[in-house]
Amino acid sequence: MKSYQMDIAEQMPFLKQLTKGLSTQFGSKCEVAVHDLTNGPESTIIAIENGHVTGRKIGDGAGPVVMRVLQDPHLAVDNTGYLTRTNDGRLLRSSSIYLKDENGLPIALLSINYDFTELSNATSVLLQYMGIQSDRAQHNGIDTIFSGVSNILDRLIEESAVLVGKPVALMNKDDKVKAIKYLDEKGAFLIRNSGDKVSKYFDISKYTLYNYLDYVKRMEMPNP
């Protein structure tokens, strides 16, 4: 039986050709990247064109979409034309197309991100001139594409604290369990050395963190 790595290696010439072709077709505002989904989140990008759109390069790690699929492969469903944004707030129209093995498991992702910020701004100005209220998408709920997994982890930790709604110094055990449950659901603990950063942020030992994680897992188990 061929390994996942061999499957990806066999497809790489075509994936690189496709990446180059799509980016050339749509111009410098269109980033096209290929993610390897078989080696964890730290270094997933194995091919990329127009990486200046998101500030990423070959060897960079997973974004939010990839993190969710690494956490739960059943979420690897092709999705086109959804909104994302860059870390500095530019709006992207994104598509995710998955390459799967013979068992239906995702092994690679073709990611397309088109920066339409200038077009969106021009449309907003035109609508205001015409006296029409613009219905531009709000940033809430839109994934942010970061240039590295450490940035993603920082963002997830911030989101978990916002979810609890109080500073760490005022959090009790239940509050911290709630935050850690959120981090676990988002795949934060797939990131190398995430336990150290999470433990430090919530002022708990790694032993306590693992106990909380075990408690979260037991809560999620169905009743016998």
Side-chain angles (χ1 to χ4, degrees):
M1 180 180 292
K2 296 178 181 178
S3 69
Y4 291 163
Q5 287 291 343
M6 181 62 70
D7 290 336
I8 293 176
E10 290 176 350
Q11 297 295 331
M12 274 307 296
F14 172 71
L15 290 173
K16 288 182 177 179
Q17 181 183 2
L18 183 61
T19 300
K20 182 68 173 180
L22 288 172
S23 64
T24 302
Q25 170 69 23
F26 294 106
S28 63
K29 292 187 180 298
C30 182
E31 176 194 81
V32 185
V34 177
H35 293 266
D36 180 351
L37 303 180
T38 67
N39 284 323
E42 279 79 19
S43 180
T44 63
I45 296 180
I46 54 178
I48 190 168
E49 295 288 339
N50 294 331
H52 59 268
V53 171
T54 63
R56 299 183 298 174
K57 61 186 184 301
I58 289 176
D60 279 343
V65 171
V66 175
M67 289 290 293
R68 285 194 287 268
V69 170
L70 291 176
Q71 180 77 346
D72 184 357
H74 295 96
L75 297 178
V77 178
D78 292 351
N79 191 10
T80 58
Y82 60 93
L83 293 180
T84 54
R85 63 175 177 177
T86 62
N87 195 30
D88 59 3
R90 285 176 290 117
L91 293 174
L92 308 177
R93 182 175 174 85
S94 300
S95 293
S96 300
I97 310 296
Y98 293 92
L99 176 68
K100 299 182 180 181
D101 66 12
E102 64 273 15
N103 298 314
L105 294 175
I107 58 174
L109 164 66
L110 177 69
S111 171
I112 304 171
N113 300 298
Y114 188 89
D115 182 355
F116 71 102
T117 306
E118 292 179 2
L119 179 60
S120 178
N121 290 338
T123 301
S124 178
V125 170
L126 179 61
L127 290 175
Q128 290 177 27
Y129 178 77
M130 296 170 63
I132 301 173
Q133 291 296 321
S134 173
D135 189 26
R136 285 185 61 183
Q138 297 300 309
H139 284 182
N140 292 337
I142 299 178
D143 282 329
T144 301
I145 299 177
F146 296 99
S147 59
V149 291
S150 61
N151 292 327
I152 294 176
L153 180 57
D154 289 339
R155 179 62 176 265
L156 290 175
I157 291 173
E158 291 175 4
E159 290 176 356
S160 70
V162 170
L163 178 68
V164 173
K166 63 177 71 170
V168 174
L170 299 180
M171 289 184 186
N172 57 29
K173 175 184 176 181
D174 290 340
D175 295 329
K176 293 180 181 181
V177 167
K178 182 178 181 179
I180 288 166
K181 181 175 184 293
Y182 176 84
L183 292 173
D184 184 49
E185 290 172 347
K186 294 295 183 179
F189 297 107
L190 295 173
I191 299 172
R192 188 179 297 118
N193 298 324
S194 57
D196 294 329
K197 181 171 284 190
V198 172
S199 299
K200 183 176 180 180
Y201 183 88
F202 288 105
D203 193 26
I204 57 177
S205 67
K206 289 187 70 174
Y207 176 79
T208 299
L209 172 63
Y210 295 141
N211 281 339
Y212 287 176
L213 278 169
D214 182 63
Y215 176 69
V216 166
K217 297 295 186 184
R218 284 188 280 110
M219 284 196 307
E220 294 174 347
M221 292 179 61
N223 294 325

